[in-house]
Amino acid sequence: GQQLNQSPQSMFIQEGEDVSMNCTSSSIFNTWLWYKQDPGEGPVLLIALYKAGELTSNGRLTAQFGITRKDSFLNISASIPSDVGIYFCAGSGSQGNLIFGKGTKLSVKP
Amino acid sequence: NAGVMQNPRHLVRRRGQEARLRCSPMKGHSHVYWYRQLPEEGLKFMVYLQKENIIDESGMPKERFSAEFPKEGPSILRIQQVVRGDSAAYFCASSPSPPRGNQPQHFGDGTRLSIL
């Protein structure tokens, strides 16, 4: 079946640092989405990508949809403490159902 | 402008009991998706419904699980004769148009089901 591989699994950030994470798939997706999930809450949509090669920004977040439609990256610039959480990539299946990666957990450096 | 509403937020059941999870989509949304999330995992698709119709239930376990989205009222995910392995967070998402409309799904805050 379709699978998304997300990396890194976890990372530590210091306030002000830039963060980068990515997602790859063996299958082509027509839509690629990035969500953030805080503990005890549902995923919140950050960025939606619809066209191969598309580069989209949302404030300090930037995401790109790979030209092959099999990968995407998410960058966070000048991180702040509230960026902590779990970031999920998701590809849209043929019926619109989402296939999720396992997430990248962002934590604050001790 | 309410988002996707799920209730209850937390549900505790004993093995063998039934669990009913409810989801009210965002206003104007007629497409509902249910997902299950185990700890430290991503969300896994279960079922996709439109009003009064199940469109795709390829992610639903064949036994004990059922879902509906009646003409009036919320969507219901029903788990009969629950077992410990059913313990998870169950999320509902809604969207306003069919998949080809490229409308992203918006999620509720989930129901955390615990089986004693």
Side-chain angles (χ1 to χ4, degrees):
Chain A
Q2 293 173 309
Q3 279 188 319
L4 294 184
N5 299 306
Q6 229 177 305
S7 64
Q9 275 189 314
S10 62
M11 56 195 312
F12 289 89
I13 58 170
Q14 211 150 42
E15 189 172 352
E17 284 182 339
D18 294 344
V19 172
S20 186
M21 60 192 79
N22 66 74
C23 208
T24 59
S25 170
S26 56
S27 306
I28 290 173
F29 289 103
N30 290 324
T31 302
W32 210 296
L33 305 156
W34 284 94
Y35 287 87
K36 179 178 184 249
Q37 187 178 28
D38 291 327
E41 298 183 9
V44 173
L45 181 66
L46 299 174
I47 292 180
L49 301 159
Y50 301 111
K51 296 178 184 175
E54 180 181 357
L55 183 72
T56 298
S57 292
N58 178 9
R60 294 178 297 104
L61 275 60
T62 303
Q64 183 157 31
F65 196 172
I67 200 77
T68 62
R69 293 183 174 271
K70 290 184 177 182
D71 62 293
S72 176
F73 71 74
L74 175 70
N75 286 343
I76 305 172
S77 62
S79 57
I80 59 178
S82 62
D83 290 334
V84 163
I86 303 179
Y87 291 79
F88 289 101
C89 62
S92 182
S94 58
Q95 292 278 17
N97 56 290
L98 296 178
I99 293 117
F100 280 82
K102 289 194 174 183
T104 293
K105 186 175 182 179
L106 229 58
S107 306
V108 175
K109 269 183 190 170
Chain B
N1 185 23
V4 177
M5 303 300 291
Q6 287 188 250
N7 69 82
R9 289 294 305 274
H10 299 273
L11 182 61
V12 179
R13 285 287 177 266
R14 296 189 181 280
R15 281 179 294 169
Q17 290 184 320
E18 178 180 289
R20 280 187 179 235
L21 288 62
R22 286 176 289 278
C23 169
S24 296
M26 286 179 72
K27 190 175 179 182
H29 287 196
S30 59
H31 300 257
V32 165
Y33 301 79
W34 285 93
Y35 295 83
R36 177 163 62 177
Q37 185 179 35
L38 296 171
E40 310 297 321
E41 295 280 327
L43 283 71
K44 294 279 195 294
F45 167 73
M46 297 180 75
V47 61
Y48 164 35
L49 309 104
Q50 293 179 30
K51 284 284 186 182
E52 300 185 278
N53 287 308
I54 295 175
I55 307 302
D56 180 0
E57 55 182 349
S58 58
M60 280 275 264
K62 297 290 182 231
E63 296 176 349
R64 304 187 297 109
F65 284 72
S66 62
E68 63 176 11
F69 189 12
K71 190 176 179 181
E72 301 290 338
S75 175
I76 307 283
L77 179 67
R78 183 179 175 209
I79 311 173
Q80 294 178 289
Q81 299 174 345
V82 296
V83 301
R84 288 234 171 95
D86 296 333
S87 296
Y90 292 84
F91 290 95
C92 168
S94 72
S95 70
S97 65
R100 290 180 186 167
N102 287 336
Q103 294 291 327
Q105 295 172 28
H106 295 269
F107 284 82
D109 280 336
T111 293
R112 274 122 192 105
L113 176 65
S114 298
I115 309 302
L116 300 180

